[in-house]
Amino acid sequence: MTIDETARPRGKRGPYAKSEEKRGLILEAALEVFAQSGYRAGSLRDVALKVGMSEAGLLHHFQNKSALLAAVLERRDDHARDMIDFSGPGRKTLTDLIELVRYNSTIPGVVELYCILSAEATSPDHPAHAFFVDRYQDTTSSITGAFTDMEQRGQLRPGINPAAASRALIALMDGLQVQWLLNRDSVDMVEDIRGFLSAVATEPF
Amino acid sequence: MTIDETARPRGKRGPYAKSEEKRGLILEAALEVFAQSGYRAGSLRDVALKVGMSEAGLLHHFQNKSALLAAVLERRDDHARDMIDFSGPGRKTLTDLIELVRYNSTIPGVVELYCILSAEATSPDHPAHAFFVDRYQDTTSSITGAFTDMEQRGQLRPGINPAAASRALIALMDGLQVQWLLNRDSVDMVEDIRGFLSAVATEPF
C-alpha cells in the first residue's frame, strides 16, 4: 500500500502519466533536499524550487506535507529494496542489509527524516501511521524469513529464535540511528550491526 | 545539566522556593497528562488546567514547549534512576533495567513522548539537542560500567564487548519501543530485552 494511494492517479496515459512522472521527480528532488539538509532544515520550498514549481503546486500531488514526507521514505524503501536480495539465501539477505546500513551512513539527512517520521507516526492519528505499521510488519516478516533460512541451514546459533532476532535487528538498526545522529563519533553502525549478526550466527559476518 | 538551567532559579528561599515548587507540580501534572494522552493528544492546556494556571503562566516557568517536554522527560529519568541501582553489581543493575522496561510498558504516553522528542532532538538546532546528547552519553557510560562489572566477574559471554553491548542494549530498548507503539501485540519488550541479556551473559536473566 502506498501512503497516498487515494491521491495517486491510477491511469497511466495522457495527463495521468505526466502527473505520475512529475510525482516521481518531486520525490527524487525531496530525497536529495532532505538527504542534504535533514528534516528540520530541509524545506518544501527548496524541493519546489528544485522541480520548478510553487509549494502549492507541489502539494497538489500529495495530500499534505506528512504524506509527501512518507512518500519520500517509501521511495527510499524502494531504493533500499533494490540493494537487498530477499529471494536468495538468508545469510546473503543479511549481508546485503549490512551494506544498506553502510549506505545509510552516507545520507544522514534521510536517516533523520526516517527517524523523526517513524517516531511521530507511532501516534494512531498520524497520517503516516498505517504506512509505518505495514512497513514494520513487512520488514519484520522478510527478515524473520532470512533468519529462518539460516536456521534451516544450521547457520544460526542454537537457542536463537528467528522472529526475536528479526525484531532485535530492526530495533538495533533504528536505535543505533538515534545514537549516531546525536553523536556521529559515538557509534559505528556498520560494525555494531555486523557484531550483532555475528553473535547470533555460527560463523562471523 | 538540566535542559532549562538558565530558566531555573538558583536560590531556594522566598519566591524562588515557591517557583521551584510550582515547577515540580507542573512537571508531575505534565507527566500524568502525557502518560494518559500521549504526545500528540496531550495538550499544555490540560497541564495548565491540572495545576490551576493559564498556559502563559505555565510557560513562564520554562523557555518554551520543547523545554517543558524535555524537563518532563528529565523528571521521568529521575523516577527511573530511583528504580535502578547503579552502584551495586552489574547484573543487578541490568535486572533493574528489565523492571524499568516493564514499568515503561504501563505508561505508553510517556514512552511516545520520549520516542518522538529524542528523534526530533537529533537535529543540532533542536532546543533539547544538548540534553539528549548528554543523556545518551551518561546512560551508555553507566550501562557499560554494569557490563564491565559482569565481565570482571566472569558473567559475560567471551567475546562480548561491554561498550558494544551497552550501545546495543540502549538501541534495542529504543527500537523496540517504536515497534511496540506501532503495534502493541507485535512485541513483548520485557521478554525481548531479557532474551538479549541472556544471550550475552553466561547465565540466563
Side-chain angles (χ1 to χ4, degrees):
Chain A
M1 196 193 73
T2 65
I3 186 69
D4 54 344
E5 207 163 60
T6 52
R8 180 188 272 191
R10 293 178 181 278
K12 287 280 174 193
R13 298 194 308 183
Y16 292 125
K18 253 199 158 150
S19 169
E20 187 74 350
E21 194 190 325
K22 197 84 197 166
R23 202 177 163 280
L25 287 175
I26 294 170
L27 290 180
E28 287 302 328
L31 208 44
E32 270 179 52
V33 166
F34 290 111
Q36 270 168 20
S37 312
Y39 177 77
R40 278 167 72 88
S43 73
L44 287 190
R45 200 174 147 268
D46 295 336
V47 179
L49 270 175
K50 225 180 168 80
V51 290
M53 294 172 75
S54 66
E55 271 186 69
L58 188 142
L59 284 173
H60 170 73
H61 291 266
F62 299 87
Q63 285 174 309
N64 50 46
K65 190 183 171 185
S66 289
L68 166 59
L69 293 177
V72 168
L73 289 183
E74 205 178 14
R75 172 64 61 125
R76 178 256 200 179
D77 276 355
D78 290 343
H79 291 325
R81 261 188 292 271
D82 291 342
M83 291 179 64
I84 297 171
D85 177 9
F86 277 113
S87 61
R91 207 185 144 94
K92 173 71 169 62
T93 305
L94 298 168
T95 306
D96 289 350
L97 258 178
I98 297 177
E99 288 314 304
L100 176 63
V101 173
R102 192 188 307 283
Y103 170 65
N104 282 343
S105 66
T106 66
I107 47 167
V110 175
V111 172
E112 188 190 325
L113 173 65
Y114 167 80
C115 187
I116 297 176
L117 208 56
S118 61
E120 289 179 348
T122 58
S123 296
D125 58 346
H126 191 280
H129 182 72
F131 167 74
F132 274 100
V133 171
D134 288 352
R135 185 185 183 283
Y136 272 82
Q137 202 168 352
D138 290 352
T139 311
T140 307
S141 153
S142 299
I143 295 180
T144 300
F147 280 120
T148 303
D149 178 74
M150 282 186 66
E151 186 182 45
Q152 285 162 354
R153 293 170 193 262
Q155 296 170 335
L156 210 57
R157 204 157 63 77
I160 299 293
N161 173 280
S166 170
R167 288 193 299 273
L169 177 59
I170 294 165
L172 203 57
M173 290 172 70
D174 286 349
L176 288 175
Q177 285 181 350
V178 175
Q179 294 177 36
W180 177 72
L181 288 170
L182 282 170
N183 181 355
R184 302 283 161 86
D185 298 327
S186 69
V187 53
D188 181 333
M189 295 193 293
V190 172
E191 284 316 304
D192 277 8
I193 293 294
R194 191 200 301 283
F196 171 81
L197 289 172
S198 296
V200 299
T202 53
E203 297 282 333
F205 267 76
Chain B
M1 196 194 74
T2 65
I3 185 68
D4 54 344
E5 209 162 57
T6 52
R8 180 189 272 191
R10 293 179 182 275
K12 286 281 175 194
R13 298 193 308 179
Y16 292 126
K18 253 197 158 152
S19 170
E20 188 74 351
E21 192 190 326
K22 198 84 197 168
R23 201 175 163 278
L25 287 174
I26 294 169
L27 291 179
E28 288 302 326
L31 207 45
E32 271 179 53
V33 165
F34 290 111
Q36 270 169 19
S37 312
Y39 178 77
R40 278 166 71 89
S43 72
L44 288 190
R45 201 174 146 269
D46 294 336
V47 179
L49 269 176
K50 227 180 167 78
V51 289
M53 294 171 75
S54 66
E55 271 186 71
L58 189 143
L59 284 173
H60 170 73
H61 291 268
F62 300 87
Q63 284 175 311
N64 51 46
K65 189 183 173 186
S66 290
L68 166 60
L69 294 177
V72 168
L73 289 182
E74 203 179 15
R75 171 65 60 126
R76 178 257 203 180
D77 277 354
D78 290 342
H79 290 327
R81 261 189 291 272
D82 290 342
M83 290 179 64
I84 297 170
D85 178 8
F86 276 113
S87 61
R91 205 182 146 96
K92 172 67 168 62
T93 305
L94 297 167
T95 306
D96 288 351
L97 258 178
I98 297 177
E99 288 313 305
L100 176 64
V101 174
R102 190 189 308 282
Y103 170 66
N104 282 343
S105 66
T106 66
I107 47 168
V110 175
V111 173
E112 187 190 325
L113 173 65
Y114 168 80
C115 187
I116 296 176
L117 207 56
S118 62
E120 289 179 348
T122 58
S123 298
D125 59 345
H126 191 280
H129 182 73
F131 167 73
F132 275 99
V133 171
D134 288 351
R135 187 187 182 282
Y136 273 81
Q137 201 168 351
D138 291 350
T139 311
T140 307
S141 151
S142 298
I143 295 180
T144 300
F147 280 120
T148 303
D149 177 74
M150 281 184 66
E151 188 182 44
Q152 284 163 353
R153 294 170 193 261
Q155 296 170 334
L156 210 58
R157 204 156 61 79
I160 300 294
N161 173 280
S166 171
R167 290 193 299 273
L169 178 58
I170 294 166
L172 203 57
M173 288 172 71
D174 286 351
L176 288 176
Q177 285 181 351
V178 175
Q179 295 178 37
W180 178 70
L181 288 171
L182 282 170
N183 181 355
R184 303 281 163 89
D185 299 327
S186 69
V187 51
D188 181 331
M189 296 193 291
V190 172
E191 285 315 305
D192 278 7
I193 293 294
R194 190 199 302 282
F196 171 81
L197 289 171
S198 296
V200 299
T202 52
E203 298 281 332
F205 267 76

